[in-house]
Amino acid sequence: MAVPSPKSPEQSERSRKYDRQLRLWGDQGQQDLETAHVCLINATALGTEILKSLVLPGIGAFTIIDNEVITEEDVGSNFFVTADKIGEKRGSIASQLLCELNSDTRGHFIDECLLKLLDLNPGLFKTFTVVVTTSLHEKEIIDLSHKLWTYNIPLLVCQSYGFFGSMRLQLAEHTMIKTHPDNQNPDLRLDCPFQKLKAHFDTYNLEALDLTNHLHVPYLVILYKHLEKWRNDIGNVNALPETYKQKQVIRDNIKNSIRKHENGTLYHEENFEEAIRSVNFAYNRTSLSENIQLILKDEKLMNLTLNSQPFWIMVKALKDFVDNEGCGKLPVRGTLPDMTADTFKYISLQQLYHEQAAKDAEAVYNRVQQLLQHVNLPDDTITEQDIKIFCKHASELCVIRGTRIADEYERKGNADNEISQSLEDPDSLIEHYIILRGIERFYSEYYTYPGEIDEQVEPDIPKLKLCISNLLSEWGCMYSTKEDYIHEYCRYGKSELHSVSSFIGGCVSHEIIKIITRQYKPVNNSFVFNAINCSTESFTL
């Protein structure tokens, strides 16, 4: 028998270093993180906080694009610049200090204007996994949005302004396999057991078991036996208990089958108690969710080509499996929840699910190989391990198609309606999003931020109010922004508070990690933070 080789020192050191996060997104997620290249535009306090929270978990590389120099204001809010470096390039100093946090990460710095880069070297942005920006102006946001949408590169536009912050995510298309749903029911197939599973269940005769074996029967066997009994009682071999009353009948039947002492009291049989607790979810019908049905009908499956993403090739193979071997069902997941049972009985049952999952995955893999040959892609484009993971998480598949940020600015999407509806809620934070948009408009018209110069705080208030009113008019909103809010934003004068930037930076870095690892669903698609009362809200614009 082959003995596996021991782990190398590098592997054990990596596992020790990133142990806690490996528990969240696994080896594959960490590998995705370590091969990612994130671009940050403007190394503000918010920008460096975002990168800090990516460098620490081991992002492969980052590039800072920033042509600003360090000012006294930067030193007051940005922990990754120092007073002795005032006048030097902000991006260069920030890059050096960020790299000191983790020797596994490579940092780069480009001293150039964003608009000039977009004009002279747009292909640079194709090399990035994700692009995140801070303190951009309207024209820069619009031009960058158009370019990255074409390249299908995710974009996050972020702001930290006084006691408020925001984030807007642009995803053209984002596919996920592991979404880690909060409350996912186990894949038990009690309503339609595969052949070997049914044969295994049929080997049990609960009434004939001695007490010791009766105490250690896996609760799945108990549930299956009582489902069969209930079906026979009602004369319908395909029925499932759906109502509370029907499920209660089965619970009572299970309870009545617990063995009794000579004095009539019940033995404490944990496996039967587990079966009673599991009635609610264990008898769910094995079927395709609405989300999975939509994915299996996606137009991307119509004409696979050499340029098709591996995800869509696997989905096409999955669809073919569902339509044929799967008989309308997804591959067996192959995992079982913990349960009270002796080791032999549990492992025997677990092995049946593992074997069926492997058989289903092999069928999907064979179909994938046929598709790869059809589109002239190498056989190793999608590995057998990729298919096993894909089949195990087939019920979690998710496709997000977002909206382009530029469309929101150019009024080509549905953002106007979403903003109008959100304004009907007096407690909504959408008003702060509108003010931040008004500040961008203010800069486009006056080339300065409201209140940036102390003497201009009061004169800038009516100017900002007019910019916001014009925006609301363009959106068709009959709404007037609160005067106190406008005064407050003018008083901020573009200042960043480190605590606010740190919070927003953490939130943004979480979203970037979700995008890079393609695990967990990212926010859809706008987020606002109010540090005054520590409230947050997300919107779909």
Side-chain angles (χ1 to χ4, degrees):
M1 185 176 68
V3 178
S5 59
K7 289 187 175 181
S8 66
E10 292 79 15
Q11 288 175 316
S12 59
E13 172 62 21
R14 173 178 174 272
S15 297
R16 184 195 63 77
K17 183 175 183 179
Y18 299 122
D19 177 67
R20 284 188 293 179
Q21 63 205 46
L22 285 169
R23 299 168 191 263
L24 284 176
W25 51 70
D27 284 326
Q28 184 59 52
Q30 186 64 28
Q31 183 178 331
D32 292 337
L33 204 62
E34 291 171 0
T35 56
H37 191 165
V38 174
C39 172
L40 169 69
I41 300 172
N42 293 330
T44 60
L46 173 56
T48 54
E49 286 298 321
I50 293 169
L51 282 186
K52 177 196 77 175
S53 297
L54 294 173
V55 170
L56 289 173
I59 195 78
F62 67 83
T63 294
I64 296 176
I65 298 174
D66 191 347
N67 64 345
E68 297 291 331
V69 297
I70 298 172
T71 64
E72 290 184 5
E73 288 77 12
D74 290 320
V75 174
S77 61
N78 193 334
F79 283 8
F80 291 90
V81 297
T82 53
D84 60 319
K85 301 297 184 181
I86 289 177
E88 296 188 30
K89 288 298 181 178
R90 184 172 62 182
S92 175
I93 301 302
S95 177
Q96 294 171 30
L97 294 180
L98 283 163
C99 285
E100 291 180 7
L101 296 176
N102 193 339
S103 58
D104 295 339
T105 299
R106 304 180 311 279
H108 311 279
F109 162 60
I110 298 176
D111 178 17
E112 191 58 87
C113 166
L114 173 62
L115 291 177
K116 188 174 180 181
L117 273 178
L118 287 171
D119 183 41
L120 299 179
N121 189 14
L124 168 71
F125 293 92
K126 289 183 180 180
T127 64
F128 301 128
T129 312
V130 180
V131 176
V132 57
T133 77
T134 67
S135 297
L136 284 193
H137 311 139
E138 271 191 341
K139 177 171 174 49
E140 293 172 317
I141 293 172
I142 293 170
D143 289 359
L144 184 63
S145 170
H146 279 300
K147 191 64 66 178
L148 295 183
W149 183 270
T150 303
Y151 297 154
N152 194 25
I153 303 293
L155 168 65
L156 294 98
V157 175
C158 313
Q159 293 188 74
S160 177
Y161 206 99
F163 284 100
F164 297 89
S166 71
M167 171 185 68
R168 171 69 160 88
L169 171 61
Q170 171 179 292
L171 288 171
E173 180 181 278
H174 184 64
T175 57
M176 291 168 284
I177 297 172
K178 296 181 181 180
T179 55
H180 302 272
D182 292 331
N183 299 303
Q184 186 180 49
N185 290 325
D187 182 20
L188 304 178
R189 309 281 171 124
L190 293 180
D191 61 322
C192 54
F194 44 93
Q195 188 174 354
K196 288 187 178 181
L197 181 62
K198 186 178 186 308
H200 181 78
F201 286 152
D202 290 340
T203 62
Y204 280 87
N205 182 348
L206 297 182
E207 289 77 12
L209 294 175
D210 60 37
L211 180 60
T212 300
N213 283 310
H214 202 260
L215 285 164
H216 293 92
V217 175
Y219 77 73
L220 290 192
V221 177
I222 300 168
L223 288 170
Y224 178 77
K225 290 295 185 180
H226 282 276
L227 175 62
E228 292 293 287
K229 179 181 183 304
W230 177 78
R231 283 172 167 175
N232 290 333
D233 290 345
I234 66 172
N236 186 343
V237 296
N238 295 314
L240 283 176
E242 296 177 349
T243 66
Y244 173 82
K245 185 177 180 180
Q246 291 171 333
K247 291 178 180 179
Q248 191 58 40
V249 170
I250 294 183
R251 290 191 192 96
D252 292 340
N253 288 341
I254 296 173
K255 186 175 182 180
N256 292 333
S257 65
I258 297 176
R259 297 285 173 88
K260 296 179 180 179
H261 292 279
E262 291 182 1
N263 61 5
T265 59
L266 298 176
Y267 276 98
H268 179 56
E269 297 196 77
E270 282 190 56
N271 50 341
F272 280 77
E273 292 172 4
E274 288 174 351
I276 291 171
R277 290 195 298 269
S278 303
V279 167
N280 266 343
F281 65 82
Y283 292 137
N284 289 341
R285 192 174 299 279
T286 305
S287 60
L288 303 181
S289 68
E290 184 178 345
N291 172 59
I292 296 300
Q293 290 181 47
L294 289 174
I295 292 176
L296 296 183
K297 295 176 183 176
D298 197 282
E299 60 181 11
K300 285 288 185 76
L301 305 182
M302 297 300 110
N303 292 302
L304 294 178
T305 67
L306 188 68
N307 298 318
S308 295
Q309 292 182 10
F311 176 86
W312 291 113
I313 295 173
M314 291 190 288
V315 170
K316 172 61 176 170
L318 177 67
K319 181 181 186 304
D320 294 342
F321 171 88
V322 170
D323 293 341
N324 295 280
E325 300 97 326
C327 301
K329 300 174 183 64
L330 294 173
V332 171
R333 198 177 301 156
T335 56
L336 280 185
D338 292 335
M339 59 188 73
T340 300
D342 64 45
T343 303
F344 176 77
K345 290 185 179 67
Y346 181 77
I347 291 179
S348 298
L349 189 60
Q350 188 180 54
Q351 191 64 34
L352 291 173
Y353 281 91
H354 283 178
E355 288 174 359
Q356 188 62 39
K359 180 180 177 182
D360 290 350
E362 183 180 6
V364 176
Y365 178 69
N366 291 336
R367 292 186 175 278
V368 164
Q369 291 300 304
Q370 293 172 9
L371 291 170
L372 290 174
Q373 291 177 11
H374 179 70
V375 297
N376 295 319
L377 282 170
D379 292 346
D380 59 356
T381 301
I382 299 172
T383 67
E384 195 167 357
Q385 182 62 24
D386 293 335
I387 295 300
K388 288 180 180 178
I389 294 171
F390 181 82
C391 290
K392 182 178 179 180
H393 299 277
S395 62
E396 305 172 32
L397 300 182
C398 182
V399 177
I400 294 177
R401 291 190 174 102
T403 57
R404 183 164 45 187
I405 295 176
D407 290 347
E408 181 186 328
Y409 282 77
E410 296 169 346
R411 302 187 59 242
K412 294 178 181 177
N414 296 319
D416 299 7
N417 295 331
E418 297 292 337
I419 291 171
S420 298
Q421 291 175 13
S422 297
L423 284 171
E424 295 175 5
D425 179 3
D427 298 323
S428 175
L429 296 182
I430 194 70
E431 187 165 10
H432 296 286
Y433 178 82
I434 293 169
I435 295 174
L436 291 169
R437 283 287 308 276
I439 289 171
E440 291 173 359
R441 178 68 58 87
F442 185 101
Y443 187 91
S444 298
E445 294 185 9
Y446 302 103
Y447 298 101
T448 186
Y449 288 95
E452 190 172 9
I453 302 171
D454 290 343
E455 294 76 16
Q456 287 295 115
V457 173
E458 291 300 323
D460 283 347
I461 290 173
K463 294 179 183 177
L464 177 57
K465 186 176 180 181
L466 180 61
C467 289
I468 295 170
S469 297
N470 290 339
L471 269 178
L472 290 169
S473 297
E474 292 173 11
W475 295 333
C477 299
M478 301 298 293
Y479 184 83
S480 179
T481 308
K482 294 181 179 68
E483 291 279 348
D484 290 348
Y485 288 169
I486 296 177
H487 282 248
E488 189 75 3
Y489 275 90
C490 285
R491 192 173 65 84
Y492 295 151
K494 195 184 177 288
S495 62
E496 276 192 82
L497 299 179
H498 178 263
S499 57
V500 177
S501 294
S502 179
F503 180 87
I504 293 288
C507 294
V508 174
S509 65
H510 288 170
E511 300 307 311
I512 293 174
I513 289 172
K514 291 177 189 178
I515 293 166
I516 291 171
T517 61
R518 294 185 179 272
Q519 297 185 42
Y520 302 94
K521 294 182 182 178
V523 67
N524 185 22
N525 52 25
S526 302
F527 171 85
V528 176
F529 172 56
N530 178 351
I532 295 175
N533 58 16
C534 292
S535 60
T536 63
E537 189 173 353
S538 59
F539 318 96
T540 302
L541 300 177

